Amino acid sequence: MTKAELLAAYRTMFLTRVFEEEILAMTAVGLVPGYVHPCTGHEAVAAGVLAGRMPEEWVVSYYRCHGHALACGSDPLAVMREVLTRRGGLCGGKGGSMHLADRANRFLGASSIVAAQLPIAAGVALNEQRAGDGRAVVVFCGDGALGAGVAYETLTTARHLGLPLLVVCEDNGWQDHTPSHEVSSLPPAGLVAGLGIGHREVDGNDVTATARAAAELLADCRAGAGPRVLVAHTYLRHFHAQSGADAPAEYRPAAEVDHWRRRDPLDVAANELIALGVDPEPVRAEVAEEVSRVVAAALATPEPEPSSATTSVAVAGWVGPF
Ligand SMILES: Cc1ncc(C[n+]2csc(CCOP(=O)(O)OP(=O)(O)O)c2C)c(N)n1
Ligand SMILES: [Mg+2]
């Protein structure tokens, strides 16, 4: 990445961090409906991978999706309004935290069903392959998602058809409150290797390394080499999810939490910028001010009109009225 690209990626990461911390603060006082799955700690994965996405390439996500939408270029105010289920949200305020979608920025959507986004992304990749425009599709998932049966079907079908699909596995070592090693006999890279799919493992807290690896894999996908998997090792700074006032108690070993806190992706990127002679502080100040404006504007926005309940929503094969 050039200095300018690294600074842009750092801005996205810092925006995501401040945005998520504001959402957690609002969750704690009952302002956020439903569950919130914060992506704090994972910021370098979205920022690094999507730094190399062509703007016309589709991105598909899962419930830990706020950072993916922001890294796709979604308007932070529209994202915040959606998380708070207010008018003018990305999906009209009817999807909430786990169901962001933004067609204009080619962010196809997020799913609360573990691994459900994978076959959807493969379908989009099949469409792109048929269009023949050399475009890839990026899909994000957790490490637990690769253990789902549908992930196996998606990966083997994508390999068989040579689909231009980049699967980005955010390997945080946990699946909700369960350590992954207790429920998976193979780590993600071993699983993917067994399927004969080209992959890379990367330090997902290092945005530069992540961007470099993702760019290489995306180039393979666009060139018709078939699907690729990027396993990005990272860690959640907070916890799996929160609903309502009580934040979950820490369920992970203290030494593990400390280990990853000392490798915070924002510190890694800031130190790299400083080493290149770039001061990250002006970006931090500008983003902090933007997010406080966004929070105030979103909180001042009313919920959707009850009469709009059947617009901006769809049921399989039947789009309102219901
Ligand atoms: C099909 C399905 N099964 C179970 C769940 C409950 N669930 C929600 S998140 C989660 C853990 C997923 O772990 P991972 O894929 O590693 O993602 P992470 O939450 O760590 O980012 C589970 C089991 C679900 N949402 N969908
Ligand atoms: Mg996980």
Side-chain angles (χ1 to χ4, degrees), residues 225-252:
R228 293 287 184 265
V229 177
L230 179 66
V231 180
H233 296 285
T234 186
Y235 200 71
L236 284 174
R237 192 170 171 82
H238 284 89
F239 37 69
H240 176 68
Q242 181 172 354
S243 170
D246 294 326
E250 183 56 75
Y251 49 92
R252 303 168 299 182

Side-chain angles (χ1 to χ4, degrees), residues 42 62-64 141-145 169-176 178 180 234 236 240:
H42 285 207
Y62 64 118
Y63 44 85
R64 209 174 295 290
C141 68
D143 50 307
C169 175
E170 303 190 0
D171 184 357
N172 56 24
W174 287 77
Q175 305 177 20
D176 202 323
T178 305
S180 296
T234 186
L236 284 174
H240 176 68

Side-chain angles (χ1 to χ4, degrees), residues 12 28 33 46 48 62 89 102 113 118 136 152 212 242 258-259 281 292 297 303 307:
T12 302
Y62 64 118
D102 181 0
I113 308 300
L118 295 171
Y152 171 80
R212 196 181 303 124
Q242 181 172 354
D258 282 356
H259 167 80
E281 185 46 37
S292 51
E303 292 187 333
S307 62

Side-chain angles (χ1 to χ4, degrees), residues 96-112:
S97 168
M98 289 191 270
H99 303 107
L100 304 179
D102 181 0
R103 185 182 283 257
N105 285 295
R106 296 244 160 188
F107 183 63
L108 190 70
S111 172
S112 56

Side-chain angles (χ1 to χ4, degrees), residues 179-194:
S180 296
H181 65 83
E182 283 185 12
V183 287
S184 310
S185 54
L186 275 177
L191 208 123
V192 172

Side-chain angles (χ1 to χ4, degrees), residues 303-316:
E303 292 187 333
E305 282 280 5
S307 62
S308 72
T310 59
T311 60
S312 313
V313 292
V315 167

